[in-house]
Amino acid sequence: MDFTVLTLFPELVDSFFKHGMISRGIDKRLITGHCINIRDFSTDRHKTVDDRPYGGGSGMIMKLEPLQAAIYCAKKNAPDSKVVLMTPQGNTFSQEKALELAFGNKGLIFVCGRYEGIDERVYTKLVDEEISIGDYVMTGGELASMVIIDSIARLIPGVLGSLESPESDSFTNDRLEYAQYTRPEEFEGEKVPDVLLSGNHEKIRLWRKRSSLERTFLKRPDLFKKNRPDAEEKKILNEWCRELESFAGE
Ligand code: SAM
């Protein structure tokens, strides 16, 4: 998977490509990470990339031509890539979208805006998809692109270390991840559940499933609407209900 970020602040994203899981993925040649400075494609003497909005109003708008040239350059280097514009007005990013982007594309080109935004014709002529990372407005698209690259890269087989796995992560199959513990066995009177020390794999699997269901029910019940409980999950939830009823009746 090739990640290319078009930005006016490449140093922000360059350092992200040089650390942690992303840099290990690059070293293993499972992903690539490049930045393109949009300003390099400005053709005037002052390297201008923004201009005043037609119709008046506050702030500056990113000009069309340098962005177009930067996108064409990125596409030349990674021809099968999808062009994704970072904008608070786009489709909201999610784990589902991360999976779709990770396995549906050879590469992704992220266009990061700054100032008041981008000339409308970039949206209509040069971009395949608009994505937002949430209903709030940031100063630039760089953080948004890094959020998205991080969550996609960890899904690509081999990028995470052999001891880590995205399979039980929250939002996979629309459930939250089960409770996790490590040493010490007891902390300020709170003990690690006995079953996790039992070595019985089937009991541990069932305990984790129940923990995941309980957490999803308590913290994000909306996820059950997206993916209804299967037969085993229903059985576990019914058991839990019976326990709660008998507890309430005591
Ligand atoms: N005036 C624009 C609007 O109201 O839609 C917001 C412009 S914002 C100050 C500058 C840039 O930050 C945007 O062009 C976009 O690239 C990026 N950005 C801000 N918030 C974002 C979000 N929630 N998701 C993705 N990108 C965002």
Side-chain angles (χ1 to χ4, degrees):
M1 165 74 81
D2 300 312
F3 297 111
T4 311
V5 181
L6 311 191
T7 165
L8 290 171
F9 296 94
E11 58 283 5
L12 280 179
V13 186
D14 269 337
S15 71
F16 164 70
F17 284 137
K18 287 190 186 124
H19 292 94
M21 175 248 332
I22 297 288
S23 94
R24 288 198 300 274
I26 291 172
D27 289 345
K28 288 189 209 165
R29 296 176 189 272
L30 296 168
I31 57 177
T32 66
H34 300 287
C35 285
I36 290 183
N37 190 341
I38 298 163
R39 202 175 291 282
D40 290 344
F41 296 87
S42 172
T43 47
D44 68 66
R45 214 156 46 92
H46 302 291
K47 292 277 166 203
T48 313
V49 287
D50 57 336
D51 207 340
R52 290 189 306 276
Y54 277 120
S58 62
M60 299 295 272
I61 306 299
M62 284 179 77
K63 282 166 70 65
L64 178 65
E65 301 92 328
L67 272 168
Q68 182 189 42
I71 291 171
Y72 285 173
C73 171
K75 280 230 141 198
K76 207 170 151 201
N77 295 336
D80 298 321
S81 296
K82 179 174 192 168
V83 180
V84 185
L85 178 69
M86 301 292 92
T87 162
Q89 301 181 18
N91 299 323
T92 309
F93 190 62
S94 63
Q95 189 70 7
E96 205 176 332
K97 180 56 82 180
L99 279 158
E100 181 197 312
L101 292 173
F103 298 109
N105 300 282
K106 273 196 79 182
L108 293 168
I109 296 167
F110 294 88
V111 182
C112 301
R114 283 266 157 179
Y115 316 124
E116 269 310 298
I118 292 177
D119 187 302
E120 184 64 17
R121 290 159 294 183
V122 172
Y123 295 69
T124 52
K125 294 212 179 292
L126 298 167
V127 161
D128 298 314
E129 183 167 358
E130 298 170 30
I131 297 186
S132 161
I133 60 162
D135 288 349
Y136 42 83
V137 177
M138 299 180 295
T139 318
E142 290 76 14
L143 284 171
S145 72
M146 289 187 270
V147 166
I148 295 174
I149 292 170
D150 188 289
S151 55
I152 291 176
R154 65 199 306 289
L155 294 172
I156 293 170
V159 171
L160 284 180
S162 57
L163 296 176
E164 303 163 287
S165 150
E167 275 142 36
S168 63
D169 275 348
S170 294
F171 304 108
T172 306
N173 301 322
D174 301 306
R175 301 292 180 259
L176 300 184
E177 193 183 51
Y178 46 80
Q180 298 267 35
Y181 298 87
T182 184
R183 275 183 274 257
E185 231 175 274
E186 188 171 338
F187 177 70
E188 295 183 353
E190 194 174 338
K191 276 198 73 195
V192 173
D194 287 339
V195 61
L196 297 179
L197 312 174
S198 69
N200 183 324
H201 297 303
E202 180 56 8
K203 282 191 177 159
I204 292 172
R205 184 186 74 80
L206 287 170
W207 184 91
R208 286 184 165 160
K209 187 139 226 175
R210 173 161 162 171
S211 166
S212 156
L213 289 169
E214 286 178 8
R215 287 170 161 237
T216 307
F217 185 81
L218 294 172
K219 296 181 184 180
R220 289 294 305 273
D222 57 298
L223 294 175
F224 285 117
K225 284 198 187 132
K226 286 177 78 188
N227 188 357
R228 312 295 300 179
D230 63 20
E232 185 178 53
E233 289 181 329
K234 273 190 196 150
K235 196 170 157 225
I236 294 170
L237 284 166
N238 282 334
E239 244 169 56
W240 187 36
C241 279
R242 279 198 295 277
E243 276 177 34
L244 288 174
E245 272 168 16
S246 68
F247 180 67
E250 273 171 14

